[in-house]
Amino acid sequence: MAQAEQSDSFPGPFRLDRLGDLGPVRRALQRAGYTETAVSETVLADREGRPLDTATLTRRTQSPSPFHTLLRLFALGMAVPEPAAREALAPADLDELCAIGLLERRDEGVRAATALMPSDDFYLAREFWPDFTGRPRAPDYVLEVGPATRAAACLTVRRQGETALDLGTGNGYLALTAARHAARVIGTDINLRALNFAAFNARLNDLPAVEFRAGSLFEPVADERFDLIVANPPFVISPRSTFEYRDSGMPGDSLVEQVVRQAPSLLRDDGYATVLMNWHHRSPDDWAQRPAQWLASSGCDAWLLGFESYDPIQYAASWLRPEYADQPERYARAMDDWLAYLDRLGAGRISFGAVVLRRRAGRNWFRADPLAAGMPPSGCSDQIRRVFAAQDLLESLQSDEALLAQSLRLTPEHQMEQVLVAESGRWLVKAARIRQTQGYPFEGNIDRLVGTILADCDGRHRLGDLVADLARQLGADPAQVAPSCCRVMRTLLAWGFLTAAT
């Protein structure tokens, strides 16, 4: 289904049926230095990404330049003189940009109908920040690329030539990132305005083959199968349905449960799915129980990652405070409503995390790991595949003897830091710490003996032989050394520091 044929179904600011070549717009933005780094350095005030006030930014951007014109147009939502807009967007034709809905002519000059912001190496249309417009967010507000979306992108397994689904595509960012490696990509959403933005963004970034469909959850693709599914659904556990990007309108975390339960049936064998989610539980200790129940008999191996956990007051405040920052009485009433709702659910804690699934025949495994909050700077695709392969191996090794028969290889994506002390006229290693350098920076302390074994884990030696060599150096019985070495090696395998040689 071509985008032009879908345009009437996706109402919004953009005339999708009139989109031509948007390459001139993209090149104008690039030529002006309109990059994510440059915009962030100018617009954002703090580590949480909140923008500076309009008065400050107006003064920051008052000197004439194409970059400042673009900032005023597409970040601040200000009118600019038409000659300045023509200069900043050349060689794009201003009349054509007005015709497709990106720009509007007003008495005070040219205005942008939507924000247009750099994100990584994409340019993405989205709604203006309410801080700049003074208008509250509408229910179908199209969000920027936020932390949850970036987490989903980071935790996506990427392989060339696959078929991918972006469930709850929003402005299309995850679909566009998948289109860089997948042969076919479909993005779905119930928010028709968001699909209008997403289709425009695909064309602007020269990825017009991405297909967008309207519908709830998996309904638009019920008869199809995928190698990759990535889902950043409206997972907030809320008593209201205020925003389509945030609130599901379903009880508790039932929407997330539905996504997690249904995703395996749409995966091909060896296909991966990543689902971002909030879910509730009673105590800090039972955080993995309910997701594990959802995945029982799913036909998938599953890795549950817990990033953060909140008590009900923390959770409600985190979502309500931005909405009611200047309305203390309404804030208090909304807080009471949310707390009462969470209490009815029996939610003693609410967790934020993700589950990564891989469809595989046979006996499937489930593991759950709490991780530090925050996403790594690089994607985790290779790291996730190493962890899944290592977990497969560990599930098959029922004894230390089986592990000792393996030949293991230390992955190159790591570094070791040592603390040395001077003793008896020479340097001695006091402590050592190993850390992964791509993906999540998993790290841990290792002692000198483990470091000695790791140095020879090149895929050519059986682990049992390395342990026996170490025992001889220590004048010890290999049978006494092996159990402790095996425990450490299992841990290093589980976290992707080691891989099997075959």
Side-chain angles (χ1 to χ4, degrees), residues 389-408 463 486 489-490 493 500:
Q391 193 66 35
D392 292 344
L393 177 63
L394 290 170
E395 294 288 324
S396 71
L397 301 177
Q398 299 300 312
S399 66
D400 283 353
E401 288 73 18
L403 176 59
L404 291 168
Q406 296 293 314
S407 296
L408 304 178
L463 178 60
C486 285
M489 290 298 160
R490 286 181 185 275
L493 266 168

Side-chain angles (χ1 to χ4, degrees), residues 356-376:
V356 183
L357 310 176
R358 181 193 58 185
R359 187 165 183 83
R360 181 177 64 87
R363 181 179 178 181
N364 298 115
W365 50 260
F366 173 88
R367 64 180 276 188
D369 294 300
L371 300 181
M375 285 295 110

Side-chain angles (χ1 to χ4, degrees), residues 431-443:
R433 193 163 184 82
I434 193 169
R435 180 177 184 272
Q436 292 189 34
T437 55
Q438 291 186 12
Y440 250 97
F442 299 139
E443 59 184 358

Side-chain angles (χ1 to χ4, degrees), residues 189-200:
D189 210 300
I190 62 169
N191 185 342
L192 300 184
R193 182 174 173 84
L195 291 171
N196 179 273
F197 278 74
F200 173 83

Side-chain angles (χ1 to χ4, degrees), residues 190-317:
I190 62 169
N191 185 342
L192 300 184
R193 182 174 173 84
L195 291 171
N196 179 273
F197 278 74
F200 173 83
N201 289 333
R203 184 65 63 85
L204 176 62
N205 291 281
D206 197 26
L207 295 167
V210 180
E211 182 181 346
F212 295 101
R213 299 180 186 178
S216 177
L217 299 182
F218 296 105
E219 291 176 1
V221 293
D223 297 326
E224 303 195 42
R225 297 296 177 267
F226 299 91
D227 304 295
L228 171 68
I229 297 173
V230 57
N232 180 23
F235 54 66
V236 176
I237 302 172
S238 161
R240 300 176 297 165
S241 296
T242 305
F243 302 113
E244 291 185 12
Y245 69 81
R246 187 189 76 178
D247 310 306
S248 70
M250 297 173 64
D253 53 16
S254 57
L255 180 136
V256 164
E257 178 181 356
Q258 188 172 337
V259 172
V260 171
R261 287 184 182 274
Q262 290 183 359
S265 66
L266 275 81
L267 282 176
R268 296 191 178 114
D269 287 343
D270 197 41
Y272 283 85
T274 297
V275 182
L276 265 285
M277 56 188 191
N278 280 168
W279 69 99
H280 62 80
H281 47 100
R282 292 190 176 277
S283 72
D285 298 328
D286 67 353
W287 68 277
Q289 288 183 9
R290 294 181 65 245
Q293 293 169 2
W294 300 344
L295 290 161
S297 304
S298 67
C300 286
D301 302 308
W303 189 17
L304 178 65
L305 305 173
F307 302 139
E308 296 178 277
S309 177
Y310 308 88
D311 66 40
I313 295 176
Q314 289 174 314
Y315 185 75

